[in-house]
Amino acid sequence: MQDIETLKRQNMNLSDKIYIFDTTLRDGEQTPGVALTVDEKIQIATKLNNLGVDKIEVGFPASSHGEIKSAQKIKSLGLKSTLVGLARSLDCDVDAILDADLDYVHTFIGTSPLHRDYKLKMSKSEIIENASKTVEYAKDHGLTVEFSAEDATRTERGFLLDVYSEVISAGADFLDVPDTVGVLTPILTRELITDIVNNFKIPVSVHFHNDFGLATANTLTAIECGASQAHVTVNGLGERTGNCSLEELVMTLKASYGIDLGLDTTRLYSLSTLVGRLTGVKMPVNKPIVGANAFAHESGIHVHGILNNSSTYEPISPEMVGHTRKIVLGKHTGANALKSKLKEYHIDLNEDQFYKVFNEIKSLGDSGKAVTDDDLIAIAITELGSARETPIIMKGLSISMGASVSPTATVKLEIDGVEKETAHTGVGPIDAALNAVRELVQDTMDIELEEYNLEAITGGTDALAEVFVISSDSDGNKSTGRSTNQDIVMASILAVLDSMNKLLLIKRA
Ligand code: KIV
Ligand code: ZN
């Protein structure tokens, strides 16, 4: 890794301070299909603040009363990050920023011929007049002003520089360069940002979209050329294909440029997970930094390297971003990976048993099946000869519910060959059935349900429910359980029993 001084010597025009301007709550919320409640915005803003981003664009206050309310609520949290609101080049939009109790406005107007002629129907001089007047109005009201020339990258260069020069005269504090439809490439970015940075004395910011997958590369190039602020979003959310991704930018700066922005990067993965859950936009497994496979290894050669020294096949450690390393089993698995997995589950096999399990995992992989940890446990336990009988078998389940009484579940289980039955109430039918199961197994094991996921895997009222659970026992062993059934209560109980049986089998093995 190189330090900032080395990079400066290599003809990079790095700014001494690089601001991270997060727009997950504004451009990120413009992701098709995404809408956040006030409470969800508060959760995300709090995490962004704890991560340490300099600025958080909390919304577009003029667009709705709810946006003003959510900005006010976030303001009332007293976060350290500076809060920003978006405004068109209109006095009424600036008034909404003031109503929202914000001190920093990000004001914009389209400058390209396409925006002037087809959207705004304004001449060049009208664009300059509107932009400058709004900047002046915002400054007169005591706001910090960042000005964006929307679609800057498709705007005639001379006109773009004129607009920037006029808004600076009107008092703008930051110039932002939006690549609104993501048409830049690194070499074009270098030329454009160098020109803007050389022409003006105030800080230059960039807001790059990802239409061709280049947003992060272009943003890094802009920073190399003297841009001192980057607009980013968590998970790269944003209009269409999104914006420059916060986690990709911050970690590339840290790992490849040696630039530590002072953010607590160990919070990145949990922030990404929260945003994924609240927006419903799940990350692909191969998403850099935060995807499920970002630190997952399957091939024998890689796992061997990783087990000796993780840097062999990881540019950064998962701990740096709060993620975890995963050794995945499959047709490429090597003996070292299998040994480490068996150790993780406290399963001891002799050499003969080990190679039988190894070959079975390889042939499962060869048949195109993903080999889960559960598959491994089942195969290993069968090999150990301990799985002759399933310890807990479901024998019966019935639920009774009334309009004003708590649901009651009657559950019958066969535990190690002995039938037992009990009835229990709960806040809902699943809770009642789980309470009954807990009561029935209490002499056999202690069980904690750590995770419960329910998904309808077909449509209609006869949809199949798939339940996936993670349970743990009092020794800290964990196991997954899965079941599919047309009845959600039955699917839930069978998934829990599946995980309990695995835990018992591990223990007894
Ligand atoms: O992409 C864009 O041009 C924007 C502006 C509002 C800055 O998001
Ligand atoms: Zn944008």
Side-chain angles (χ1 to χ4, degrees):
M1 294 301 153
Q2 307 180 55
D3 62 29
I4 193 163
E5 291 312 318
T6 317
L7 292 169
K8 274 183 173 164
R9 281 196 297 278
Q10 287 172 343
N11 288 334
M12 286 195 198
N13 181 24
L14 293 172
S15 163
D16 288 332
K17 167 77 188 156
I18 295 162
Y19 297 92
I20 294 295
F21 178 118
D22 184 276
T23 179
T24 308
L25 300 180
R26 198 279 296 169
D27 215 321
E29 206 198 11
Q30 287 171 221
T31 306
V34 171
L36 297 164
T37 63
V38 176
D39 179 59
E40 290 167 344
K41 281 199 168 197
I42 287 178
Q43 290 182 53
I44 295 172
T46 307
K47 279 207 172 237
L48 284 166
N49 176 74
N50 296 342
L51 174 71
V53 302
D54 302 283
K55 303 178 192 178
I56 302 173
E57 190 166 41
V58 293
F60 182 9
S63 69
S64 78
H65 191 61
E67 282 284 276
I68 296 185
K69 277 262 156 307
S70 69
Q72 286 169 340
K73 284 223 167 150
I74 297 172
K75 182 73 190 296
S76 72
L77 302 174
L79 305 179
K80 193 162 170 258
S81 311
T82 301
L83 304 183
V84 184
L86 183 72
R88 288 163 297 182
S89 286
L90 295 169
D91 290 356
C92 58
D93 278 28
V94 176
D95 292 339
I97 299 286
L98 299 167
D99 289 346
D101 202 16
L102 299 171
D103 308 317
Y104 189 128
V105 62
H106 169 208
T107 173
F108 73 100
I109 192 164
T111 52
S112 66
L114 283 164
H115 282 238
R116 295 195 310 261
D117 299 342
Y118 296 100
K119 192 181 82 173
L120 301 165
K121 306 209 186 314
M122 283 187 196
S123 65
K124 286 181 174 174
S125 54
E126 283 170 322
I127 297 286
I128 290 188
E129 193 185 328
N130 277 276
S132 311
K133 270 186 159 172
T134 309
V135 171
E136 239 168 62
Y137 182 76
K139 288 308 292 178
D140 286 349
H141 287 80
L143 297 175
T144 300
V145 180
E146 177 163 335
F147 172 80
S148 272
E150 190 187 14
D151 209 14
T153 53
R154 293 189 298 177
T155 301
E156 306 89 327
R157 182 68 56 84
F159 178 57
L160 180 66
L161 297 180
D162 285 349
V163 176
Y164 282 144
S165 157
E166 293 294 332
V167 295
I168 291 174
S169 304
D173 301 287
F174 277 80
L175 290 183
D176 182 56
V177 186
D179 185 21
T180 302
V181 291
V183 292
L184 282 181
T185 62
I187 204 154
L188 295 174
T189 305
R190 175 167 296 279
E191 195 279 320
L192 173 66
I193 300 304
T194 303
D195 195 18
I196 297 173
V197 165
N198 287 344
N199 266 285
F200 304 108
K201 293 213 160 34
I202 68 169
V204 173
S205 165
V206 293
H207 175 107
F208 290 167
H209 277 273
N210 201 32
D211 295 71
F212 294 103
L214 291 171
T216 304
N218 291 336
T219 303
L220 285 162
T221 306
I223 289 172
E224 288 174 6
C225 300
S228 46
Q229 176 169 278
H231 284 206
V232 294
T233 55
V234 179
N235 295 344
L237 292 181
E239 286 278 1
R240 304 179 309 283
T241 55
N243 294 60
C244 171
S245 136
L246 164 71
E247 55 282 356
E248 289 171 21
L249 183 76
V250 167
M251 292 318 294
T252 312
L253 284 174
K254 190 165 178 162
S256 302
Y257 291 61
I259 299 176
D260 189 339
L261 299 176
L263 274 68
D264 180 358
T265 60
T266 62
R267 296 172 183 269
L268 282 171
Y269 182 65
S270 79
L271 172 63
S272 158
T273 313
L274 176 81
V275 170
R277 184 162 57 76
L278 298 183
T279 58
V281 182
K282 297 279 178 281
M283 288 298 94
V285 290
N286 61 343
K287 168 77 174 65
I289 315 294
V290 292
N293 284 355
F295 301 95
H297 310 275
E298 183 190 315
S299 86
I301 296 169
H302 282 220
V303 174
H304 184 211
I306 286 285
L307 293 174
N308 289 337
N309 180 338
S310 59
S311 299
T312 48
Y313 288 104
E314 283 173 355
I316 56 171
S317 72
E319 293 80 20
M320 271 174 93
V321 295
H323 207 331
T324 42
R325 180 172 302 121
K326 215 167 59 183
I327 305 294
V328 179
L329 300 174
K331 66 178 189 181
H332 305 112
T333 293
N336 287 303
L338 182 57
K339 274 184 197 147
S340 111
K341 268 277 172 216
L342 290 169
K343 201 164 153 204
E344 198 181 307
Y345 288 104
H346 312 287
I347 300 174
D348 251 335
L349 299 179
N350 64 31
E351 202 179 324
D352 187 42
Q353 290 166 329
F354 177 84
Y355 279 103
K356 281 190 182 145
V357 171
F358 185 64
N359 291 334
E360 189 150 346
I361 284 175
K362 289 263 185 192
S363 51
L364 266 176
D366 277 337
S367 67
K369 194 176 177 302
V371 185
T372 63
D373 284 15
D374 288 351
D375 293 326
L376 166 68
I377 293 170
I379 295 166
I381 285 171
T382 309
E383 201 44 57
L384 279 164
S386 315
R388 263 170 250 120
E389 273 170 20
T390 308
I392 308 173
I393 301 166
M394 166 66 97
K395 287 289 179 180
L397 167 71
S398 68
I399 306 284
S400 63
M401 300 211 283
S404 56
V405 287
S406 306
T408 304
T410 307
V411 176
K412 192 197 269 187
L413 298 180
E414 185 187 301
I415 305 173
D416 291 322
V418 181
E419 278 194 8
K420 291 181 173 181
E421 180 175 318
T422 193
H424 216 295
T425 55
V427 288
I430 297 175
D431 187 50
L434 272 176
N435 289 339
V437 168
R438 269 201 200 92
E439 189 181 313
L440 290 175
V441 302
Q442 65 190 349
D443 296 335
T444 315
M445 69 188 302
D446 258 347
I447 173 126
E448 198 65 56
L449 194 56
E450 301 211 348
E451 210 176 301
Y452 173 91
N453 289 296
L454 166 70
E455 239 172 77
I457 54 176
T458 52
T461 49
D462 59 348
L464 275 181
E466 180 171 38
V467 175
F468 170 78
V469 298
I470 300 179
S471 314
S472 61
D473 65 14
S474 48
D475 296 332
N477 294 314
K478 283 187 193 201
S479 174
T480 59
R482 198 183 289 277
S483 175
T484 306
N485 200 288
Q486 261 168 334
D487 182 291
I488 356 178
V489 186
M490 186 58 105
S492 305
I493 299 309
L494 289 177
V496 172
L497 293 184
D498 182 33
S499 70
M500 287 166 80
N501 278 322
K502 284 177 193 156
L503 284 170
L504 278 176
L505 288 172
I506 294 173
K507 204 167 181 155
R508 292 174 185 179

